[in-house]
Amino acid sequence: MTVITVNGTEQKLQVDPSTPLLWVLREQLALTGTKFGCGMAQCGACTVHVDGTAMRSCVTPLSAVSGQKITTIEGLAPNNNELHPLQQAWIEEQVPQCGYCQSGQLMSAAALLATNPSPSDADINIAMAGNICRCGMYSRIRRAIKSVAGVQQFDPAVTELAREINNG
Amino acid sequence: MGKWTRRAVISAGVVAGGGLIVGVAIRPGNRAAKLSKYVAGDGETLLHTWVKLDSDNVVTAIIPHAEMGQGVGTALAQMLADELDADWDLVKFEEAPALGEFANYPMAQAMLLAGADIPDFVLPTVEGALIRTAHVLDLQITGGSLSVRTTGAYGMRIAGAAVKEMLKIAAAEAWQVPVNQVIAENSQLIHKASGRVEPYCAFAESASQMTPPVSPTLKSVDEFKIMGRHVERHDLPSKVDGTAIFALDVRLPDMLYATVMRAPTFGGGIDSVDEVRTRAINGVVDVVQLPSAEVSSMLGKFTYAESVAVVAKGYWAAKQGMDALNIQWRSTENDGVSSDAIFKQFDRDISAGVDRESDIAQGDLVASMENAAQVIHADYRVPFLAHTCMEPLNATAMVNDGHCEVWVGCQSPLSFRQAIANALGFDIENVTVHNCFMGGGFGRKSRPDYAIQAAQLAVSLGRPVQLLWTREEDVRQDFYRPAIQSRFRAALDDSGDLIAWENTYVDKHEPDEAALIPYSVDVQDIGHVRSPTHIPFGAWRSVAHSHHGFFTESFIDEVAVAAGQDPFDYRVARLQHLPRQLAVLTKAAKEAQWHIPLAPGRGRGISLQSSFGSIVAEVVEVTVKDGNLSVDRVVAVIDAGYAVSPDGMKAQIESGIIYGLSAALFGEISIKDGAVVESNFHDYQSVRMSDAPAIETHIINSGADWGGAGEPGTPPIASALTNAIFNATGNRIRQLPIKNVDLQAARESTATMG
Ligand code: FES
Ligand code: FES
């Protein structure tokens, strides 16, 4: 049995521990916001936070995250009534086209801003390099990230903690 | 034009009186009973096919197009709501269910009437007698950048205006006042003299008893309130919090997961399958051979080859099971075919000119070439391209009591329904297609092969099955933008004037006019030869414009250079007869500061293409340093007649540019041993954040007929880019993708030439 914490809730999983986290999230936990695009860490559609760091869940075996805290797109917002500033900016800039890549884009961007609140263009290029958008919304993604740069971010680790306290 | 009868509408004989084909969208009489069970919820009255009004006064536009990212629902809802004078905050939209009742009649009509720029994949219907004999059951298509200019222009607007008139009549009757004293505003009906104000919904039921008016009055542009305004897309909130349901997100009780593989060589089949290692994998439930499927629908006739599926309790087990299979594929006559061989064949067939057919032939080509002061010639090539939608192909199916339900993201739900029914041997009534959000479409999701496979699996397993293709299968079993070769010759007189233009290319695809040029040249001979390959063809964003836009707009640049003239000025001089094109090109040059010189190592290129009813010009700025290319900036100008949703149109142009840029820089599907070499995003690269230029899009609302937006951004980008590289380095790129070109070497060779 593998134990992980996903969006603040502890999960005990009877799954082959070599299974990539992506499929555990989507199939066992029905968290379908995290997407499959390539299966080989090339596209970023499956990006989640593992202890606050952006990881490609399609190549991360469940065993590698045992005991760790995972945040998915469903847990990015601080609570049910509020969006993460990036989610808000994504709507303001009308970023998504098909939207399929956007969970991954948002998770990569959130991890960037949590450690680097005012990234340069070059920082953005590096942090977002692993996320493909076949609809080509890169200018809007860049604009949206910059529009919240410097704005108070929800540190994923802090959000996690708050949630755990709430959940008792 | 008398009262419309149901028959008049369903048959395509609807009169285009006054130039409008409105009848196709307006259902005569009250069809509510028949349709309401499919779309109307509790407390809602279905006024007719396109509009629903519920008891909270919320208007729902029922959109007969699939959302694949283009924001189509929002733009169409704007068109409807504006004519209806609805309160925008009370307007929603939903996609029409895949039933013949919702078939896209306006699209069929536009195709019949216009004909010229209809995408290839809908053509068979137009040619066939389907529409004429009133069986338009197959036309709920999204593609060809047609949504706004057909459904929107001929359907939604008319529907909105008609419903408004009906509501006004209903209110006038109820209030016993003359109808011309009733005002419709913000989803309310108002009678000023008596001070009466009631919401639209108060009259929904009485209005639904009426026959819609024959020709409701439409607003003029200066009366638009919601069209042309920036509105937020309705679907975006669910796309930033992970709640949007794509087909892959469907979860059914007791569902199994599967993946499939077909013979890598197109046309191949299965010889034998050794399943022993696969069946030993924990979680694997079954290994199933799926028969080939014959599909004949509006998409034409296709045979989808047989495949092997591994079904398991989870996708990961299915994938591992697939990797463990030992499959022997049957050999085929195409086993030896390579990209090289294909291009040799093209070269041979163009040279031989066998069965060459002209798209246009005017003037005396031979004499012009003989009398020319200068003749230049060049051959251009583009490779096969895959679509690689962000969401790999997938579908989920369930069969209960002889009824098959399929959840899928597709561009043509009605034809999918038909194809699934045929493949399973079911009556069409026993197939339901639930169309979900599409993670990209780009033309690929107009082919039903993946949905058929899911349905076959559900039948064979007797349980719900979610089929997901690997990305590798998605790249290797696509319907490809064809590889094309195009040969040019141009004659110039001693002043550099272009006196003759000759062009021969392989393989004609839609739209018909894609290879034609807008420039005034008296002598022209543009034609094509047939040179078929075994690689499956598919519509790829902008179809034939995707390659001809590169070919013709590069070669006209070469002509300008040979004439010693500025490429922009040279084009302008030959566009005097086309004021819209001229305006678009001129604005692009102006916004890009075309005539201000750039530093050494930098360059600008320009390109102009009209496609899908819209005119687009693009100017690209590049820097080439030590052989490294950076695409710095793109300025785009579009004239699509009128932009209903200006920000949505800009997003579409940005999207089309990046899609075309990925292809120009990296896109190459190579063939070896009859099969595709590339497999995933590491060897079939896309533009990423650091490659993406700044894009500025400018819109011209010329008031001309409505044009599309989803595709017209793509055709100009490759040539604008290679023209810019030429401007920076002196290197003329005639074969895509650019990743294969050594820009460092090119600079040196230019130096030697100079
Ligand atoms: S699915 Fe994980 S990076 Fe593409
Ligand atoms: S929005 Fe479609 S892939 Fe990014």
Side-chain angles (χ1 to χ4, degrees):
Chain A
M1 190 172 67
T2 312
V3 181
I4 56 176
T5 303
V6 181
N7 300 332
T9 307
E10 191 179 90
Q11 302 285 354
K12 301 191 167 88
L13 295 155
Q14 296 283 5
V15 182
D16 172 359
S18 71
T19 308
L21 177 61
L22 171 63
W23 305 111
V24 177
L25 293 171
R26 292 184 52 84
E27 294 173 9
Q28 269 72 37
L29 303 178
L31 292 169
T32 54
T34 306
K35 304 301 188 198
F36 167 72
C38 68
M40 58 182 298
Q42 284 290 318
C43 76
C46 64
T47 307
V48 298
H49 296 170
V50 177
D51 285 343
T53 305
M55 302 265 281
R56 313 293 177 219
S57 64
C58 70
V59 292
T60 306
L62 179 61
S63 57
V65 295
S66 169
Q68 290 180 282
K69 294 184 177 59
I70 319 292
T71 307
T72 69
I73 187 71
E74 290 89 348
L76 183 63
N79 56 57
N80 285 341
N81 309 316
E82 212 176 337
L83 291 177
H84 185 283
L86 279 168
Q87 290 172 312
Q88 196 61 52
W90 247 239
I91 292 175
E92 264 149 38
E93 297 292 341
Q94 296 280 290
V95 172
Q97 282 253 314
C98 81
Y100 192 81
C101 73
Q102 299 298 346
S103 300
Q105 305 279 3
L106 279 158
M107 296 313 282
S108 290
L112 165 68
L113 291 185
T115 54
N116 179 358
S118 295
S120 65
D121 276 326
D123 295 337
I124 292 175
N125 285 349
I126 292 167
M128 303 305 290
N131 290 82
I132 292 174
C133 176
R134 284 293 284 159
C135 297
M137 293 296 100
Y138 297 110
S139 329
R140 287 168 188 247
I141 293 171
R142 187 186 298 280
R143 265 208 313 276
I145 293 175
K146 286 183 165 178
S147 77
V148 291
V151 172
Q152 179 62 48
Q153 298 298 309
F154 298 107
D155 181 333
V158 175
T159 311
E160 265 319 297
L161 198 65
R163 219 183 251 121
E164 272 170 43
I165 293 165
N166 278 341
N167 295 353
Chain B
M1 211 161 32
K3 273 194 179 167
W4 293 352
T5 64
R6 177 191 157 119
R7 184 168 170 72
V9 169
I10 292 181
S11 69
V14 179
V15 191
L20 275 183
I21 315 132
V22 297
V24 290
I26 309 287
R27 301 306 182 140
N30 174 19
R31 314 190 76 199
K34 186 151 187 216
L35 290 173
S36 58
K37 71 175 186 199
Y38 299 112
V39 290
D42 286 347
E44 294 168 330
T45 305
L46 188 79
L47 286 176
H48 56 63
T49 311
W50 310 93
V51 189
K52 190 167 71 157
L53 187 54
D54 72 16
S55 49
D56 305 333
N57 213 24
V58 170
V59 175
T60 305
I62 298 155
I63 311 286
H65 295 284
E67 183 57 70
M68 51 184 173
Q70 76 281 43
V72 60
T74 306
L76 292 179
Q78 277 179 274
M79 299 176 94
L80 172 88
D82 203 334
E83 293 293 352
L84 181 55
D85 277 312
D87 177 347
W88 178 246
D89 292 336
L90 296 177
V91 176
K92 297 191 306 178
F93 68 88
E94 62 188 47
E95 190 184 326
L99 297 165
E101 294 288 346
F102 290 93
N104 193 341
Y105 296 101
M107 187 185 265
Q109 288 287 356
M111 286 190 270
L112 273 179
L113 295 185
D117 56 357
I118 300 309
D120 191 59
F121 63 86
V122 298
L123 201 67
T125 330
V126 180
E127 290 175 341
L130 275 179
I131 293 172
R132 289 168 217 280
T133 55
H135 297 294
V136 196
L137 289 173
D138 235 7
L139 271 172
Q140 197 168 300
I141 314 163
T142 304
S145 302
L146 281 165
S147 311
V148 163
R149 60 208 178 102
T150 61
T151 303
Y154 301 145
M156 289 295 155
R157 290 188 65 193
I158 315 281
V163 172
K164 184 171 72 180
E165 280 184 27
M166 291 155 73
L167 290 168
K168 281 163 93 170
I169 294 169
E173 277 174 15
W175 294 340
Q176 296 290 306
V177 300
V179 68
N180 61 8
Q181 292 180 8
V182 178
I183 299 169
E185 206 176 275
N186 260 338
S187 292
Q188 291 186 321
L189 291 155
I190 302 162
H191 184 247
K192 284 229 167 91
S194 64
R196 279 187 236 249
V197 179
E198 295 230 41
Y200 282 0
C201 59
F203 305 98
E205 207 162 335
S206 45
S208 75
Q209 308 299 321
M210 291 176 200
T211 303
V214 171
S215 47
T217 317
L218 298 182
K219 291 182 174 180
S220 57
V221 173
D222 56 329
E223 294 172 307
F224 291 174
K225 289 186 192 142
I226 300 174
M227 286 187 264
R229 194 174 102 188
H230 173 61
V231 298
E232 290 193 347
R233 278 174 55 175
H234 288 252
D235 55 329
L236 296 202
S238 72
K239 289 177 174 178
V240 303
D241 66 4
T243 56
I245 299 296
F246 295 84
L248 192 59
D249 303 331
V250 169
R251 292 287 170 269
L252 300 175
D254 206 27
M255 186 171 85
L256 295 169
Y257 298 83
T259 194
V260 286
M261 192 172 182
R262 273 199 208 118
T265 303
F266 304 105
I270 302 159
D271 202 10
S272 68
V273 181
D274 177 355
E275 308 171 357
V276 176
R277 287 196 305 146
T278 299
R279 288 197 181 268
I281 290 171
N282 197 8
V284 168
V285 173
D286 207 350
V287 178
V288 186
Q289 293 193 24
L290 301 176
S292 66
E294 279 245 348
V295 171
S296 92
S297 72
M298 62 178 188
L299 305 171
K301 253 197 191 358
F302 300 100
T303 305
Y304 299 120
E306 57 192 346
S307 50
V308 184
V310 178
V311 189
K313 291 187 181 139
Y315 176 76
W316 185 242
K319 163 82 167 75
Q320 285 181 303
M322 181 58 77
D323 293 345
L325 277 182
N326 185 356
I327 311 171
Q328 299 301 318
W329 305 106
R330 264 200 315 273
S331 55
T332 81
E333 56 183 3
N334 299 315
D335 286 352
V337 176
S338 66
S339 292
D340 252 14
I342 288 172
F343 279 112
K344 281 202 182 101
Q345 170 195 318
F346 288 167
D347 203 62
R348 179 198 70 203
D349 292 348
I350 288 179
S351 299
V354 182
D355 298 328
R356 184 180 186 280
E357 273 182 55
S358 286
D359 299 338
I360 186 171
Q362 60 186 41
D364 188 342
L365 187 75
V366 176
S368 305
M369 291 290 171
E370 272 171 11
N371 300 332
Q374 197 187 160
V375 173
I376 64 165
H377 59 90
D379 269 42
Y380 283 79
R381 275 182 190 183
V382 293
F384 294 101
L385 293 175
H387 296 80
T388 53
C389 303
M390 202 71 229
E391 181 187 19
L393 295 177
N394 69 88
T396 303
M398 173 168 87
V399 179
N400 275 326
D401 302 329
H403 191 99
C404 178
E405 281 184 84
V406 179
W407 288 259
V408 66
C410 74
Q411 292 175 244
S412 185
L414 287 169
S415 72
F416 273 51
R417 185 180 181 216
Q418 183 72 60
I420 292 163
N422 290 352
L424 300 185
F426 282 26
D427 289 337
I428 188 143
E429 289 71 31
N430 286 325
V431 176
T432 302
V433 170
H434 305 280
N435 208 14
C436 306
F437 279 132
M438 254 180 283
F442 311 127
R444 174 60 176 96
K445 290 176 183 168
S446 57
R447 304 292 185 127
D449 50 340
Y450 55 110
I452 293 172
Q453 289 171 329
Q456 289 172 328
L457 282 170
V459 169
S460 136
L461 272 292
R463 281 171 71 175
V465 178
Q466 180 161 86
L467 167 67
L468 168 60
W469 286 25
T470 60
R471 175 59 71 188
E472 289 74 13
E473 187 76 355
D474 184 273
V475 170
R476 289 177 170 164
Q477 296 293 337
D478 203 344
F479 293 83
Y480 300 88
R481 198 289 302 275
I484 301 280
Q485 179 164 343
S486 188
R487 179 168 297 169
F488 291 91
R489 224 160 38 123
L492 287 74
D493 68 14
D494 47 16
S495 68
D497 195 13
L498 175 57
I499 54 173
W501 175 275
E502 184 190 22
N503 179 202
T504 304
Y505 57 93
V506 293
D507 277 357
K508 175 106 185 133
H509 294 284
E510 291 306 306
D512 237 5
E513 73 283 8
L516 302 186
I517 52 169
Y519 308 108
S520 51
V521 188
D522 288 341
V523 180
Q524 294 189 36
D525 188 348
I526 300 170
H528 53 275
V529 296
R530 270 179 51 74
S531 189
T533 71
H534 79 291
I535 311 300
F537 161 81
W540 187 98
R541 199 171 193 169
S542 82
V543 204
H545 283 288
S546 75
H547 42 267
H548 289 299
F550 169 59
F551 301 148
T552 57
E553 281 295 295
S554 295
F555 193 62
I556 192 72
D557 231 64
E558 295 207 54
V559 172
V561 170
Q565 295 179 34
D566 176 88
F568 165 70
D569 296 338
Y570 199 78
R571 284 173 171 86
V572 165
R574 284 155 190 81
L575 283 175
Q576 297 302 315
H577 59 300
L578 295 172
R580 285 179 71 202
Q581 275 82 350
L582 188 60
V584 168
L585 190 78
T586 306
K587 184 163 176 67
K590 180 168 161 269
E591 298 292 345
Q593 298 160 303
W594 178 263
H595 287 292
I596 297 178
L598 292 168
R602 304 200 64 217
R604 264 192 213 106
I606 195 165
S607 178
L608 171 74
Q609 270 286 297
S610 305
S611 63
F612 307 97
S614 294
I615 302 163
V616 178
E618 288 165 15
V619 175
V620 172
E621 265 177 43
V622 299
T623 305
V624 185
K625 195 163 177 264
D626 303 328
N628 293 319
L629 169 69
S630 148
V631 186
D632 304 325
R633 179 183 183 218
V634 180
V635 174
V637 177
I638 176 168
D639 174 359
Y642 186 83
V644 175
S645 195
D647 184 63
M649 183 172 280
K650 286 182 183 176
Q652 292 258 58
I653 294 297
E654 289 164 26
S655 176
I657 286 172
I658 298 289
Y659 200 73
L661 197 58
S662 285
L665 291 171
F666 311 118
E668 182 173 37
I669 288 292
S670 355
I671 307 299
K672 188 168 174 268
D673 302 331
V676 168
V677 175
E678 290 74 15
S679 62
N680 205 317
F681 287 121
H682 66 296
D683 56 6
Y684 189 72
Q685 290 269 1
S686 270
V687 161
R688 290 170 186 270
M689 181 63 87
S690 58
D691 313 308
I695 301 174
E696 283 164 44
T697 306
H698 303 269
I699 292 172
I700 294 179
N701 282 328
S702 66
D705 281 349
W706 310 80
E711 294 167 278
T714 304
I717 188 64
S719 43
L721 173 59
T722 52
N723 291 342
I725 293 172
F726 175 81
N727 184 242
T729 65
N731 177 35
R732 180 62 66 184
I733 295 174
R734 299 192 184 91
Q735 293 183 18
L736 298 179
I738 295 164
K739 70 167 183 178
N740 296 341
V741 179
D742 182 348
L743 292 170
Q744 180 87 7
R747 199 173 51 154
E748 280 154 19
S749 82
T750 310
T752 339
M753 274 167 59

